[in-house]
Amino acid sequence: MPPDWLPHQKLRDLLEGYELGCVYWYENGAWSRAPYPEDLDDDGLDCGMSRFADKEEVLGMLDDTTAARRSSEALLNHAERYGLTPELLEPSVSDSGGERWDLPRP
């Protein structure tokens, strides 16, 4: 069940306008999503995430925004173990040159 703090009405509006693909949230130290319907065969995640299926390609993308490949590998290792935290993501966000992201905090 999605937490009460999610902007449910905004999400419904986006869904009705076909602007919403998926919703994930970070709470209590873990990433979550709403449960899928039992009859859903394919959530589309493989298609949407297929460009991230190759670890070397992911590392190449991360190298563009992080200081060194070593930190990229560490970041990816944390992600593979479901251990990403805002503190681990902060260097990637601050190096991106874009606006400051509001990373989830426990």
Side-chain angles (χ1 to χ4, degrees), residues 13-47:
D13 293 344
L14 291 170
L15 185 61
E16 288 176 12
Y18 299 101
E19 299 176 69
L20 183 65
C22 56
V23 176
Y24 288 81
W25 60 87
Y26 186 83
E27 183 176 53
N28 299 323
W31 288 96
S32 300
R33 63 164 173 73
Y36 290 143
E38 289 183 27
D39 61 344
L40 182 69
D41 292 328
D42 178 13
D43 66 358
L45 188 60
D46 184 48
C47 175

Side-chain angles (χ1 to χ4, degrees), residues 42-87:
D42 178 13
D43 66 358
L45 188 60
D46 184 48
C47 175
M49 297 296 286
S50 61
R51 69 185 178 127
F52 296 114
D54 180 72
K55 188 171 186 173
E56 287 301 315
E57 188 175 342
V58 173
L59 289 170
M61 290 178 190
L62 290 172
D63 284 342
D64 289 341
T65 59
T66 55
R69 182 177 177 92
R70 184 173 53 218
S71 62
S72 297
E73 289 174 346
L75 184 69
L76 191 54
N77 288 336
H78 282 287
E80 289 173 333
R81 293 191 315 272
Y82 302 97
L84 284 179
T85 64
E87 294 76 20

